[in-house]
Amino acid sequence: MIERTPVLNIATHAILVVGLLIAFLPMWLVFVAATLTIEQINNPPISLLPGSELIANLTAAWNRAQLGSKMLNSLFVALLVASGKIAIASLTAFAIVFFRFPGRMVVFWMIFVTLMLPLEVRIVPTYAVAANALAPAQAVLEVVGIAWLWQVLTGVKLALEWNLLNSYTGLVLPLVATATGTFLFRQFYMTIPAEIVEAARMDGARPLRFLRDMLIPLSKTNMAALFTIMFIYAWNQYLWPILVTTDRANYGTAVMELKRLIPTSASTGGGTPDWNVAMAGCLIVMLPPLVVVALMQRYFVRGLIGADK
Amino acid sequence: MENRPHFKTLWLGVLLVLPQLLLVLTFFYWPTGAALFWAFTLEQPWGGGSQFVGLDNFSNIFTDRFYWESVLRSLVFGVGASALAMGIALVLALFCDRQLRGYAYYRTALVWPFAVAAPAAAVAFRYIFAPEAGVFAALNQLYPNLWNPATNGDHAMIMIIIAYSWKYVAYNFIFFLAGLQAIPRSLVEAGAMDGAGVLRRMRDIQLPLLTPTFFFLLVINLTDSFVDSFGIVDITTEGGPSKATTLMVYKIYFDGFKGLDYSGAAAQSIVLMVLVMTLTVVQFRYIERRIHYK
Amino acid sequence: MAEIAIRQVRKSYGRTEVVHGVDLDIGNGEFVVILGPSGCGKSTLLRMIAGLEDITAGEIAIDGARVNEREPRERGCAMVFQNYALYPHMNVADNIGYALKVAGVAKAERARRVAVVAATVGLDGFLDRRPGQLSGGQRQRVAMARAMIREPKVFLFDEPLSNLDAKLRVQMRIEIRRLHRRLATTSVFVTHDQVEAMTLADRMVVMNAGHIEQIGAPAEIYHRPATRFVASFIGMPPMNLLPARATAPGVVALASGARLMLPPGWVMTGGDVEVGIRPEDVLVDAESGDGNRLPFTVEFIEELGAGRLAHGTLEGIDFIVQLPAGASMTAGETHVLTLGSNALHLFDAGTSRRCRFDAASPMAGVMQVPVVGLEHSVQASSA
């Protein structure tokens, strides 16, 4: 469109540059802080240009928070959540869209409702479930009388127990148990023309073959999108991991360690706060999701917009 | 949906939904039910039986001044953070959508903060706003104690709002830009033919057509401000100073896990659930309206 | 009212040029239709007149003044969009009156003018409705009213009828024609529908692949297509085109060896040509008459209700004949077709342009040449 608006164009660029400053300045300050010495950072005003201590600070943060094993844990959890979500979501959506079975709509709504309540608002009881994931099953068995029958027959009290605290399962499963991706896949499957389904049936394709040969190849983009956002979502989790992990040495995730890096009077023993090391740790911890986004920019935006509907 | 062709194998369909169904039952319905149960009983921590107490837990929290303060603070936080994050994002999206030179770079650059973990952003802003070191410390050198979120509750609230909003600017920007680009180009062109300039078109055509996106985001932002604020608060202020930043979720966590008051925490959870569900129901209404416009 | 002058206008997106130097003059009050297949650059040209697209090179002038750098609102054009582009959040009155509102016209005056224009297009009674509550035809009218209310110098139409069903399209076509009679505003109308173009246009512009192929009155374009493309694009069913080679003055030979006599006056510069004849100009089993007589093998008959089309081959080339009422023909039969000398069109195979026809050519005269494949000879008449 022909627009002769030189003043407005300059204003537009100015506004967007301010936007860029908002997006980058905080992280630039973090980066600069991570390159300074402890003396430099505690002598305001601090420089806006990087210093020379980046490697030293990164090393210090890495060692202090034992980030090596923590980053591996985070990576493992994020990959499990992302791939578990894709698998479960695509299968459920496949069943809901392409099958008719009694209670299908009930199942649909049961999963749909979970969108309404994020993990954080039901954190206390979810924690209790994690302490024994089979408690629900135990309760069901008790109510229907199987537990009683078992005790009568075997003389042993039936006590199902599966403790998820301090385990990858505990870190992963509750994060997978939501409807986010299911609806992304459902919406996508609904756009698949009915003719393709009918053609596949005419060709004698069985359901699983149809899933493998048609749906999965067609939904690669959606899978990539869901993978991207779930990876970031899982990596960035904070509340759930600090609850379910008491054994930090073995099961702690990287994001959990952020708080430990913050200098407090307790951690520095009343000494000078070493924000430079904290900022170096912060850089390390937030890097993997940024790499994923940089590599998958297109899918990231697509996934966000699709998943939240 | 009902008339789509489908496969006849009954058992396979059931089998396919079973994994998700089990997960949802175990980690969603059971805990939600447990929260309901606990909310109406007096629960001994770590087992030891429970006793039905009716609405006592609710009347306890509703008569608790600290609870109402946390609700009020959550509202201040939610409204403040939503206004900040949505306001900035809307302006950026409107001008980015003009697609002047460099458009693609602006778009890419403005999106990335959403990938930063909220706790990482919190650590960053805690440093930036630290009274003794870093950026704002310079202020304190000029005027001692002009800025101190560690002792001043208002400062602490401003800090968590900014730290939280920062990544949501990126989030809202993505949605506003997508919303703007979903407006048919020809409508803006028709506005130009009708004589409206750039700003006039924003006001008369783009903003009104963005209303559904706006309300959708408003609900999402408010909801997320309730549920997604834990990491920010825990890392920057731990609810302080003197509970000035104890938001609802933080209070639930604190009462439940530090105070071991399961019943009180459960009752608070139920209130928060009702609040979030109400917002979500409102949100679906607006999604309906969005479809209606097309 | 205005004249539009388009001089050597080009449009490129990046390195791809989509409009390759177009020249066109549109007179005051004229209704010009730009016709072409999709992707030929016709909409781009229209949008460049409107100011919705930059002009890469060349110049567009309205009323003698160069408008290349002017914003859309400064050009005095109004546009009717293909999908109507009605503002979904405004009611009909606000949609129609938006341009006046932007121009700062007082509310009472605005309401008065909206009412007048709405009455003109038959929308009174709908002013409070939202576009979403209107039928396709009504939306079309709102779009027209919105364009009319500004009393623009130029109306631009970007395929405005293509979203309507066939019956409504005919009706709206007539209304547009009627409006133009009354307002006599310079109009540029873009379409890919040749019937629409033929019926609406004072003058037609046929475009293809970013070039103008021909400019002329609808009848002229139909009867004297300037290029092979126009010949094949205009007319339903399309013109039959037979590749041939000039062998002697006034004679061309088809690939099969069959010869066609041409009326004297065609000037052929190269050797390879294409001979065209419209399906409706072919005579079937004519007793006598002038022209080339060739055998035609029928493959199948297409029933159109008002008439019938015979598809088949003529000297090994696919060929279509429109059957006159009463002609009987069935698949598998062979009939003799007469390709009337005066109905033939000749195109240079190299340039694809129509060969020049000059009645005063020195070759004028009577020749008798045996035609291969037929036992009788054909008399080629003088023009």
Side-chain angles (χ1 to χ4, degrees), chain B:
Chain B
M1 175 167 188
E2 287 313 315
N3 295 322
R4 290 187 67 92
H6 54 269
F7 296 103
K8 308 286 183 199
T9 336
L10 265 188
W11 60 269
L12 188 58
V14 177
L15 195 70
L16 287 168
V17 294
L18 211 56
Q20 175 142 25
L21 204 56
L22 280 179
L23 278 178
V24 164
L25 283 174
T26 309
F27 292 103
F28 184 88
Y29 284 96
W30 183 267
T32 309
L36 269 176
F37 178 74
W38 292 350
F40 292 100
T41 56
L42 192 60
E43 192 79 8
Q44 311 299 324
W46 315 121
S50 54
Q51 177 194 354
F52 183 76
V53 292
L55 290 172
D56 278 6
N57 293 324
F58 290 96
S59 62
N60 281 345
I61 61 166
F62 285 142
T63 52
D64 180 0
R65 188 171 62 87
F66 292 118
Y67 180 70
W68 284 111
E69 281 176 2
S70 82
V71 173
L72 189 67
R73 275 184 225 109
S74 293
L75 287 179
V76 170
F77 175 79
V79 172
S82 307
L84 193 63
M86 288 177 68
I88 294 175
L90 179 59
V91 172
L92 291 177
L94 277 171
F95 284 94
C96 192
D97 188 49
R98 289 192 66 204
Q99 310 202 359
L100 299 183
R101 193 186 299 266
Y103 158 74
Y105 297 104
Y106 286 126
R107 194 187 48 185
T108 309
L110 290 172
V111 162
W112 78 276
F114 191 67
V116 173
V123 175
F125 279 98
R126 179 160 175 186
Y127 154 70
I128 289 167
F129 287 131
E132 74 284 357
V135 184
F136 272 65
L139 275 180
N140 287 338
Q141 275 194 331
L142 296 176
Y143 306 97
N145 257 344
L146 180 72
W147 172 261
N148 194 346
T151 56
N152 184 315
D154 293 338
H155 293 178
M157 180 58 91
I158 292 171
M159 177 168 75
I160 62 170
I161 287 178
I162 292 176
Y164 172 86
S165 310
W166 178 71
K167 68 179 282 190
Y168 273 88
V169 170
Y171 180 83
N172 291 327
F173 173 78
I174 294 171
F175 278 85
F176 276 133
L177 195 62
L180 283 167
Q181 293 180 346
I183 297 174
R185 188 106 194 99
S186 61
L187 285 184
V188 178
E189 290 174 347
M193 295 301 290
D194 274 347
V198 175
L199 297 177
R200 185 81 195 235
R201 292 198 301 264
M202 283 183 189
R203 198 186 80 189
D204 289 350
I205 298 167
Q206 291 174 303
L207 278 180
L209 292 177
L210 212 50
T211 326
T213 309
F214 182 87
F215 281 107
F216 165 77
L217 280 178
L218 182 64
V219 175
I220 294 265
N221 274 261
L222 284 175
T223 313
D224 281 6
S225 81
F226 292 141
V227 302
D228 202 21
S229 51
F230 176 83
I232 297 277
V233 174
D234 189 49
I235 283 187
T236 50
T237 64
E238 295 191 313
S242 42
K243 293 194 190 265
T245 52
T246 302
L247 306 182
M248 288 162 84
V249 167
Y250 197 77
K251 188 167 163 57
I252 292 174
Y253 163 81
F254 196 83
D255 292 354
F257 294 104
K258 305 286 179 192
L260 298 181
D261 173 15
Y262 272 26
S263 302
Q268 291 178 39
S269 290
I270 298 290
V271 176
L272 191 55
M273 283 181 197
V274 171
L275 196 62
V276 170
M277 281 181 92
T278 314
L279 282 172
T280 314
V281 170
V282 173
Q283 173 197 325
F284 287 133
R285 277 186 57 92
Y286 280 108
I287 290 181
E288 291 293 312
R289 242 186 87 188
R290 170 148 63 176
I291 293 162
H292 176 73
Y293 258 154
K294 282 183 180 168

Side-chain angles (χ1 to χ4, degrees), chain C residues 62-130:
Chain C
I62 298 178
D63 269 345
R66 174 184 164 101
V67 296
N68 285 34
E69 289 78 25
R70 286 194 197 168
E71 295 193 12
R73 56 177 162 174
E74 298 164 330
R75 299 191 182 198
C77 302
M79 185 149 163
V80 179
F81 291 84
Q82 177 171 12
N83 53 11
Y84 321 133
L86 303 181
Y87 311 122
H89 56 298
M90 299 184 193
N91 64 21
V92 170
D94 290 344
N95 260 285
I96 298 175
Y98 182 64
L100 299 184
K101 188 177 170 190
V102 171
V105 176
K107 204 169 181 182
E109 168 69 3
R110 211 158 73 209
R112 193 188 61 77
R113 283 173 67 181
V114 167
V116 171
V117 173
T120 316
V121 296
L123 275 174
D124 22 10
F126 293 96
L127 289 179
D128 293 331
R129 302 256 185 107
R130 288 276 177 92

Side-chain angles (χ1 to χ4, degrees), chain C residues 37-382:
Chain C
S38 59
C40 71
K42 58 188 190 299
S43 280
T44 310
L45 186 60
L46 189 81
R47 290 166 58 82
M48 286 195 281
I49 299 174
L52 297 175
E53 299 282 351
D54 294 338
I55 299 163
T56 309
E59 179 180 280
I60 295 181
I62 298 178
D63 269 345
R66 174 184 164 101
V67 296
N68 285 34
E69 289 78 25
R70 286 194 197 168
E71 295 193 12
R73 56 177 162 174
E74 298 164 330
R75 299 191 182 198
C77 302
M79 185 149 163
V80 179
F81 291 84
Q82 177 171 12
N83 53 11
Y84 321 133
L86 303 181
Y87 311 122
H89 56 298
M90 299 184 193
N91 64 21
V92 170
D94 290 344
N95 260 285
I96 298 175
Y98 182 64
L100 299 184
K101 188 177 170 190
V102 171
V105 176
K107 204 169 181 182
E109 168 69 3
R110 211 158 73 209
R112 193 188 61 77
R113 283 173 67 181
V114 167
V116 171
V117 173
T120 316
V121 296
L123 275 174
D124 22 10
F126 293 96
L127 289 179
D128 293 331
R129 302 256 185 107
R130 288 276 177 92
Q133 298 164 302
L134 299 177
S135 69
Q138 288 166 336
R139 285 182 212 183
Q140 174 67 57
R141 284 161 208 270
V142 177
M144 301 267 296
R146 188 171 65 176
M148 285 163 58
I149 196 155
R150 295 170 50 211
E151 294 165 5
K153 292 195 285 187
V154 178
F155 276 127
L156 303 173
F157 297 89
D158 189 3
E159 308 213 17
L161 305 181
S162 57
N163 285 355
L164 299 176
D165 62 46
K167 197 174 163 189
L168 212 49
R169 205 179 306 164
V170 174
Q171 191 187 334
M172 287 308 299
R173 205 164 76 199
I174 294 165
E175 287 191 32
I176 290 176
R177 190 67 227 185
R178 198 173 279 152
L179 265 173
H180 183 253
R181 279 269 156 68
R182 219 182 51 206
L183 303 173
T185 307
T186 312
S187 303
V188 186
F189 188 106
V190 159
T191 182
H192 63 263
D193 180 333
Q194 50 172 304
V195 180
E196 221 166 271
M198 290 276 190
T199 51
L200 279 171
D202 292 330
R203 256 192 327 149
M204 267 168 74
V205 177
V206 183
M207 280 188 76
N208 180 39
H211 292 284
I212 288 184
E213 296 270 340
Q214 187 172 8
I215 304 174
E220 183 192 344
I221 284 181
Y222 178 80
H223 292 297
R224 290 178 48 83
T227 63
R228 186 188 180 281
F229 172 80
V230 176
S232 60
F233 189 67
I234 307 281
M236 213 37 230
M239 183 185 282
N240 296 297
L241 287 165
L242 311 167
R245 197 176 168 78
T247 51
V251 183
V252 295
L254 301 179
S256 64
R259 295 194 193 174
L260 289 177
M261 304 304 299
L262 299 175
W266 285 108
V267 180
M268 285 173 272
T269 44
D272 288 324
V273 293
E274 283 193 84
V275 179
I277 185 161
R278 295 205 178 274
E280 55 270 37
D281 290 342
V282 178
L283 297 179
V284 180
D285 298 329
E287 290 297 320
S288 62
D290 86 87
N292 302 286
R293 295 162 72 85
L294 293 171
F296 170 69
T297 311
V298 186
E299 278 177 10
F300 61 92
I301 306 287
E302 219 177 357
E303 181 66 59
L304 299 178
R308 282 178 303 157
L309 296 179
H311 293 252
T313 51
L314 182 100
E315 297 296 326
I317 303 162
D318 287 343
F319 200 88
I320 304 174
V321 185
Q322 185 166 325
L323 297 181
S328 73
M329 207 181 255
T330 24
E333 292 176 351
T334 300
H335 289 260
V336 174
L337 301 184
T338 306
L339 313 185
S341 308
N342 290 324
L344 295 180
H345 304 259
L346 207 63
F347 301 96
D348 186 296
T351 63
S352 292
R353 304 200 68 80
R354 186 184 186 86
C355 296
R356 202 155 60 81
F357 185 81
D358 185 358
S361 144
M363 287 181 293
V366 179
M367 289 187 286
Q368 276 207 316
V369 179
V371 173
V372 178
L374 285 178
E375 283 151 31
H376 54 278
S377 57
V378 174
Q379 176 123 19
S381 74
S382 58

